[in-house]
Amino acid sequence: MDRAIVYAGSIPMDTDFLKAGRYAKEGLGRFAEMVFGVNATAACGLSCSVSTTALEISIGVGSIVAPGVLDANPIGGAGAGLAADETVLSVQYLNSNVQTVTIPTSGIVCTIYAVCQESDIDFDVLPFYNSAQPSQTLAGVSNDGQALPTRRTGTMNFIAATTPPSGPAGGIVVPLYTLVVPSNVTSLAGVTAEAGQVFWPTIPELATMTLLKAVAAPPSIMLNGGTLVIPAWASRIELRAVGGGGGGSTSSASSADTGSFSGSGGGAGGDAWGVYSVDPASSNALEVTIGSAGGQQETGGTTLVSYGGVTLLQAAGGAPGSFYSSRGSSGGGGGAASGGTIWNLTGGWGGDGQNNAYSLSGYGADGPWGGGGRAGADGGMGATKFGAGGGGAYTVASENTVSSGGSGYQGCVMYRFLP
């Protein structure tokens, strides 16, 4: 770290003080690079509170460390000062007061951006040395009474937008939070602000049980497709994908002698499980697709997780129960699985329903946690747990009608981030 040197009896120059400030800024910036990494961005504080009465949020006090330059503009002046210095380093920006931000409209996915820049503030009319009359000072340069800035500070203001705003000269725009705002609402009641990757754990958090608790917490479950944002501390993710269960077969006869009497069960979705490397410093997030439940005589949907455009693992949905002839009904096959680093398990078969004069079980296949649908008179039972198949129907309430097969159950993704 550089430090200015002064000597007893020497006349202090304005650049001595300006250099001291510049050296301090560079020292702090280089230290921040040692902690977070070169070109890293980190935020601390800046809590986000949503309004329950308006489309507004409040951002609390806090700071951001982000890539910047020593001085985008000259500092000091009035015949001296220091020239601009475009040396790249980490720069600290502060938010000293709570700021309120208005969300532009409802029905959008909105990001809260911090627009960070340095500016010269605290203007004052300063006394200057008067060489003509040393006993009297000048009010400003050349006694013109002009106020000059006395402090250069790094600050931020906040913008809510669906696309990133343009960055200021010498500054940076940092995404902080994401909000999914429902259509036709007049407040943010019930809306959660999802923190972005810039909120790193603090050293006390890393030194205590906080991180250990996060790692040891039970896996989270995702029931709808979407995006998983990687926390700053994570380097791996544990994923388990289960495909949707297939639907059970219908019945359209009152007895095995008259036709398609006993429908078969749907197959279970595949099951893939693994651990994968992730990079919180990249802009990539994990994209999740959840396999849908197969309706009667429909195949369940495929569940998959991709990262950086590459599929990590996937689990196909179970096939439906179906009649292969007027008096023959075979259970649906289980969905395949691939990409798992721990296992790739094919889902179980649904039970056969009818073989000529014989009526069999027609039950839906169990998923990883059971829940296969039971075969049912006048309608198969729907599955009750992730990836399970629906039950087949047997008999009909009256001739020339159809009894519905039971629906399979949707797939899911279980996940847990790891250091």
Side-chain angles (χ1 to χ4, degrees):
M1 177 176 173
D2 293 331
R3 290 176 291 167
I5 300 176
V6 295
Y7 299 93
S10 66
I11 299 174
M13 306 295 290
D14 64 309
T15 52
D16 294 330
F17 299 100
L18 294 172
K19 285 179 180 178
R22 184 171 280 183
Y23 294 156
K25 179 180 178 180
E26 183 169 13
L28 176 62
R30 299 307 179 198
F31 180 74
E33 291 174 347
M34 294 176 62
V35 174
F36 297 107
V38 177
N39 295 324
T41 301
C44 181
L46 303 176
S47 61
C48 182
S49 302
V50 300
S51 172
T52 58
T53 58
L55 291 177
E56 293 179 346
I57 62 162
S58 296
I59 302 294
V61 299
S63 61
I64 289 175
V65 173
V69 298
L70 266 175
D71 280 305
N73 299 303
I75 186 168
L82 296 177
D85 189 329
E86 298 289 337
T87 300
V88 177
L89 77 166
S90 290
V91 176
Q92 184 186 61
Y93 303 93
L94 301 176
N95 179 44
S96 302
N97 299 290
V98 175
Q99 296 189 42
T100 300
V101 184
T102 300
I103 306 301
T105 185
S106 63
I108 59 172
V109 177
C110 183
T111 301
I112 308 303
Y113 296 95
V115 180
C116 304
Q117 61 184 328
E118 289 192 324
S119 57
D120 294 345
I121 62 172
D122 294 349
F123 283 76
D124 196 3
V125 179
L126 302 174
F128 280 78
Y129 178 71
N130 187 346
S131 59
Q133 289 184 287
S135 62
Q136 294 182 346
T137 59
L138 302 177
V141 180
S142 302
N143 208 33
D144 58 9
Q146 180 180 356
L148 295 172
T150 60
R151 179 159 62 105
R152 177 163 291 182
T153 183
T155 59
M156 66 186 84
N157 59 72
F158 305 98
I159 296 175
T162 56
T163 57
S166 299
I172 191 170
V173 173
V174 178
L176 297 178
Y177 297 95
T178 300
L179 295 86
V180 179
V181 184
S183 299
N184 302 318
V185 298
T186 58
S187 76
L188 298 180
V191 175
T192 300
E194 296 292 339
Q197 297 178 348
V198 296
F199 291 95
W200 296 59
T202 65
I203 291 176
E205 288 173 337
L206 293 173
T208 61
M209 297 293 290
T210 301
L211 183 60
L212 179 59
K213 289 178 181 179
V215 173
S220 299
I221 190 165
M222 198 166 183
L223 306 183
N224 299 293
T227 299
L228 288 175
V229 177
I230 303 167
W233 55 266
S235 64
R236 298 175 299 155
I237 185 172
E238 179 183 358
L239 292 166
R240 186 174 182 183
V242 176
S249 177
T250 60
S251 173
S252 59
S254 59
S255 72
D257 295 329
T258 59
S260 302
F261 169 72
S262 180
S264 52
D271 182 358
W273 186 11
V275 177
Y276 309 88
S277 296
V278 293
D279 182 6
S282 77
S283 59
N284 293 324
L286 295 139
E287 300 295 335
V288 178
T289 300
I290 302 296
S292 59
Q296 64 173 17
Q297 299 187 172
E298 292 181 350
T299 301
T302 297
T303 297
L304 62 88
V305 182
S306 62
Y307 179 56
V310 176
T311 298
L312 298 180
L313 76 172
Q314 66 178 14
S322 62
F323 277 89
Y324 59 86
S325 69
S326 62
R327 298 177 66 196
S329 180
S330 59
S338 62
T341 62
I342 297 176
W343 71 41
N344 294 292
L345 301 179
T346 300
W349 284 84
D352 290 344
Q354 183 175 352
N355 182 10
N356 293 318
Y358 298 99
S359 295
L360 307 173
S361 67
Y363 276 38
D366 281 339
W369 301 279
R374 177 177 70 81
D378 301 327
M381 301 294 103
T384 59
K385 294 182 180 179
F386 298 112
Y394 63 89
T395 195
V396 291
S398 60
E399 294 294 340
N400 301 318
T401 61
V402 175
S403 294
S404 301
S407 296
Y409 205 88
Q410 72 166 77
C412 68
V413 165
M414 300 179 68
Y415 67 94
R416 176 169 53 186
F417 287 103
L418 302 170

